Amino acid sequence: MCGIIGYVGTEDTVPIILEGLKKLEYRGYDSAGLAILDRGAVSVVKQKGRLTALEEALRQNPLTGHIGIGHTRWATHGEPSDTNSHPHLGSQRKIAIVHNGIIENHRYLRETLERKGVVFHSETDSEIVAQLAEYYHRGDIMDTVIRVTNALEGSYALGFLCADDPDKLIAVRKDNPLIIGLSDGGNFIASDVPAVLKHTNKICYLEDREIAVLEKDRVTFYSRDREVIHKTPETISWNFESAEKGGYKHFMFKEIMEQPRVLRDTIRSALPGGTNHAVIEALDIGRYSQIFFTACGSAYNVSMVGKYVLERLCRFPVTADLASEFRYRDAVIDARTLVIVISQSGETADSIAALREAKRKGADTLAIVNVVGSTIAKEADHTVYTMAGPEIAVATTKAFSAQLALLYLLAVRFARGLGRVTPPEEAALLADLEELPDQAEALFAHVDRIQQYAATCFNCKSIFFIGRNVDYAIALEGSLKLKEISYIHSEAYAGGELKHGTISLIEEGTLVVAIACTERLYGKTASNVEQVLSRGARVLFLTSSGETEETDCLSLLPIRPVSEWLAPSLSVIWLQLFSYYVAVYKGCDIDKPRNLAKSVTVE
Ligand code: AGP
């Protein structure tokens, strides 16, 4: 969590940093701040609260300069407050730093410095970096950065400014993302590409413990032993507009509406001529005895769909595991296991740890990632990219759909590899898949239907989601989406589980969202619906079957997939829209829900 940005160049730094921070706010929004180096002095303005609070503080106390660093915080050590905000300064105000990550030995280092008379101002783990830097500094900032990072344990992406070296911005990282943007008007550091896209699409990725020294007209990369490293910049295909709201009120809504395009691009990417095709074709399912999915949050929910779809289509053993559990549970995997890690950001700490654990055990690893050059993308043995483009809203929507599309394609590929489908059957499955984007598009013609229903739900205290098989996996996602942006308590249950306890919570007026798009299980879910209706619930029923009729308490949302196995891609869009409108009617902060951050880089 936390977003960092830095700039050195010919332009005025403050607007560039503020703009970059806006793009990084999804990573944390407890406080924000910036430091500018001008005429040999470092000035800091930082403020608890959203970026608008920092903008106001800068109106009171304007800064100018051509080199600076900025930060938007998701609090880990110390409450959100002005003093705990970044940038942090050393006691002599010579060195300023911004930090994303966690310094695990900060207590020990702090006590050591305090014994030597250093006075700390904040409760953060990050301040130790600034204090230590000033303590070690003997005039050579590179040397200082190396000594500081040698003393640190934990994870970090760091930006340094030093009054002794007023033309240089120094960056270093370990286990947290940091990109370097290169442009004619200056050079940038940032936690993520959208923060610099307005200025450049030429990006270099910093590897663990590498150091970048940025000046206005050059960037030099060093190893931790001070050897110069040559890097060739990559050109990012995302454009600036794709990271903008483009006239929509919220990023989440824009991203929901982008899904037909995202599905189309992602499906094409896996077909002959597409960028993911060669990687998918090269996977030899014959060398594996099992598949393990591991991921967090929504990406885990995609894994659940993947488990059901792959098992059914491929008749192959598949396990879906939360990355935070997988990393510690000593799973039974070996060189004959394919571990598939799914992640939008490619930087989720638990998913990275799960990937490393899988590799340590000798498994072959495949990453399904959205952010090019992210840690998971780089560390996996094989990587395929979802074509979602930058996803800004904290609640994922289009990345979820893109992950699902790649899973369908993998399932078809593996089914062929295992001889479970004949060539005509494979062609038919792919033809169904290629119709999916149009089907998603068609669904948007009925948005007002879900909007009207949501208008009757925003006062609910609790909402239950039920389904079986893939519909259960989508129920999990619907429930997660609702609670993260509307703060309404909700639970998802496999339909058959309801009567084993949870049904006691159903009372007059409780809302149950039921999903039944799996034909052979329709009757089972329909009878779960009857059970809750007879206990006073009202039900929103998403179904592909025409058997049920609407009543006062039972509202229908029809789903008409071209083929049953693709229904999750449509039902999830209804549920995303449902959560979105419920949160809108409740007046919630849709794109930046409380306590959350988009990229969870802490354990
Ligand atoms: C979903 O809306 C969430 N914001 C969250 O559950 C997310 O899916 C999870 O943190 C995993 O993130 P990743 O895909 O970037 O690894």
Side-chain angles (χ1 to χ4, degrees):
M1 345 284 237
C2 300
I4 69 179
I5 170 124
Y7 169 74
V8 51
T10 51
E11 306 291 317
D12 187 9
T13 306
V14 173
I16 291 178
I17 290 189
L18 286 175
E19 236 167 35
L21 288 178
K22 271 186 199 137
K23 295 283 173 295
L24 293 171
E25 240 190 330
Y26 72 86
R27 302 176 68 88
Y29 29 84
D30 292 333
S31 64
L34 52 74
I36 300 292
L37 219 172
D38 190 34
R39 280 163 288 172
V42 184
S43 309
V44 172
V45 174
K46 51 188 190 173
Q47 199 69 40
K48 178 184 166 183
R50 295 286 165 91
L51 211 47
T52 43
L54 176 65
E55 285 170 330
E56 182 49 38
L58 282 162
R59 269 191 285 278
Q60 312 287 330
N61 182 7
L63 295 179
T64 52
H66 298 281
I67 174 165
I69 48 180
H71 187 274
T72 177
R73 178 169 186 246
W74 188 82
T76 56
H77 294 65
E79 58 169 7
S81 70
D82 294 351
T83 15
N84 287 337
S85 308
H86 297 221
H88 289 286
L89 284 164
S91 302
Q92 296 158 50
R93 301 184 66 89
K94 256 191 173 188
I95 295 180
I97 67 102
V98 282
H99 171 225
N100 170 32
I102 290 187
I103 307 302
E104 286 163 6
N105 59 342
H106 75 104
R107 244 178 257 290
Y108 164 78
L109 293 171
R110 183 177 180 131
E111 281 163 16
T112 310
L113 286 193
E114 278 173 342
R115 276 199 296 276
K116 294 177 193 295
V118 175
V119 178
F120 282 75
H121 303 285
S122 76
E123 305 151 283
T124 63
D125 56 328
S126 308
E127 188 185 347
I128 188 62
V129 180
Q131 298 290 9
L132 207 56
E134 284 203 352
Y135 179 75
Y136 284 146
H137 190 56
R138 297 288 175 271
D140 178 348
I141 184 65
M142 267 279 282
D143 189 51
T144 304
V145 169
I146 292 170
R147 289 192 69 184
V148 168
T149 50
N150 283 343
L152 300 179
E153 286 168 18
S155 60
Y156 48 79
L158 289 163
F160 292 81
L161 291 184
C162 176
D164 287 347
D165 240 324
D167 302 323
K168 288 184 186 147
L169 196 173
I170 317 282
V172 62
R173 64 153 236 157
K174 178 178 160 281
D175 295 338
N176 275 113
L178 200 59
I179 58 112
I180 311 295
L182 309 151
S183 85
D184 292 341
N187 297 308
F188 305 80
I189 64 168
S191 300
D192 200 356
V193 173
V196 303
L197 262 184
K198 186 174 180 189
H199 308 280
T200 182
N201 62 353
K202 299 267 176 292
I203 303 294
C204 285
Y205 295 95
L206 211 54
E207 301 292 334
D208 272 3
R209 311 293 299 260
E210 287 178 355
I211 300 165
V213 178
L214 288 81
E215 294 166 85
K216 69 171 191 264
D217 50 3
R218 85 185 74 129
V219 179
T220 318
F221 296 96
Y222 296 92
S223 72
R224 59 195 292 194
D225 306 318
R226 294 191 81 144
E227 276 169 20
V228 173
I229 303 167
H230 294 285
K231 282 182 188 279
T232 313
E234 290 180 33
T235 305
I236 299 293
S237 58
W238 296 356
N239 58 24
F240 176 61
E241 288 70 37
S242 58
E244 292 289 291
K245 275 191 207 148
Y248 289 100
K249 197 159 176 229
H250 301 108
F251 277 111
M252 184 178 175
F253 192 68
K254 176 192 173 227
E255 290 163 4
I256 289 173
M257 301 306 279
E258 279 179 296
Q259 288 176 109
R261 196 271 304 153
V262 167
L263 284 169
R264 208 165 279 127
D265 290 353
T266 304
I267 292 166
R268 278 187 195 147
S269 77
L271 297 175
T275 46
N276 286 319
H277 182 250
V279 180
I280 293 178
E281 282 304 303
L283 292 168
D284 175 13
I285 187 73
R287 57 174 276 220
Y288 310 120
S289 59
Q290 59 170 348
I291 291 174
F292 253 84
F293 283 109
T294 184
C296 301
S298 292
Y300 168 74
N301 297 337
V302 173
S303 307
M304 285 285 287
V305 182
K307 174 182 157 60
Y308 286 116
V309 170
L310 264 105
E311 273 181 353
R312 195 156 168 82
L313 201 61
C314 304
R315 312 304 311 143
F316 196 77
V318 183
T319 306
D321 219 354
L322 291 164
S324 52
E325 290 295 310
F326 178 87
R327 63 184 291 188
Y328 295 120
R329 85 174 172 91
D330 198 8
V332 185
I333 55 172
D334 55 19
R336 286 182 40 79
T337 307
L338 175 65
V339 174
I340 304 180
V341 183
I342 305 179
S343 174
Q344 187 283 130
S345 62
E347 299 294 349
T348 303
D350 283 323
S351 304
I352 293 173
L355 170 69
R356 290 179 181 162
E357 170 70 359
K359 291 186 80 165
R360 193 183 65 77
K361 291 192 152 177
D364 201 27
T365 55
L366 167 68
I368 298 180
V369 181
N370 194 42
V371 177
V372 177
S374 55
T375 304
I376 293 175
K378 283 192 291 191
E379 290 192 14
D381 297 304
H382 320 275
T383 298
V384 285
Y385 287 105
T386 44
M387 301 292 145
E391 192 179 62
I392 309 294
V394 166
T396 184
T397 52
K398 60 176 180 171
F400 181 97
S401 287
Q403 290 161 357
L404 214 51
L406 279 182
L407 277 184
Y408 296 146
L409 285 144
L410 276 178
V412 175
R413 165 74 189 86
F414 290 161
R416 187 216 311 153
L418 291 162
R420 306 279 188 242
V421 289
T422 60
E425 283 167 343
E426 184 190 357
L429 289 168
L430 291 177
D432 289 350
L433 202 43
E434 286 185 87
E435 279 193 42
L436 194 55
D438 289 346
Q439 289 209 302
E441 199 127 47
L443 188 147
F444 291 138
H446 308 286
V447 166
D448 52 335
R449 211 166 167 156
I450 192 78
Q451 182 175 3
Q452 280 158 15
Y453 195 84
T456 69
C457 305
F458 67 96
N459 278 332
C460 290
K461 292 276 168 289
S462 196
I463 299 180
F464 294 90
F465 289 74
I466 58 169
R468 289 166 184 258
N469 200 270
V470 287
D471 298 328
Y472 166 51
I474 292 301
L476 288 170
E477 178 59 8
S479 168
L480 177 64
K481 208 90 302 172
L482 181 82
K483 59 190 141 204
E484 71 178 328
I485 61 166
S486 75
Y487 318 141
I488 293 176
H489 169 257
S490 91
E491 308 252 2
Y493 280 91
E497 269 299 292
L498 208 60
K499 58 190 172 298
H500 295 290
T502 315
I503 202 159
S504 65
L505 296 172
I506 304 293
E507 51 190 36
E508 204 58 37
T510 306
L511 177 61
V512 176
V513 178
I515 309 148
C517 300
T518 310
E519 203 187 334
R520 70 202 152 88
L521 298 173
Y522 172 77
K524 304 285 174 200
T525 306
S527 77
N528 294 137
V529 166
E530 288 304 326
Q531 288 157 9
V532 295
L533 281 171
S534 64
R535 284 159 179 84
R538 65 180 174 127
V539 173
L540 176 63
F541 198 15
L542 281 66
T543 178
S544 53
S545 162
E547 282 176 40
T548 310
E549 281 182 18
E550 290 211 325
T551 64
D552 284 350
C553 293
L554 175 64
S555 305
L556 290 177
L557 271 183
I559 300 203
R560 301 272 178 265
V562 61
S563 179
E564 182 185 290
W565 68 299
L566 302 175
S569 289
L570 302 181
S571 48
V572 79
I573 295 178
W574 275 134
L575 296 182
Q576 292 164 352
L577 285 164
F578 175 68
S579 303
Y580 172 77
Y581 283 118
V582 169
V584 167
Y585 286 120
K586 260 195 94 177
C588 297
D589 189 343
I590 306 286
D591 289 333
K592 298 188 196 78
R594 70 184 179 207
N595 301 339
L596 295 178
K598 179 117 189 112
S599 183
V600 186
T601 55
V602 293
E603 189 173 346

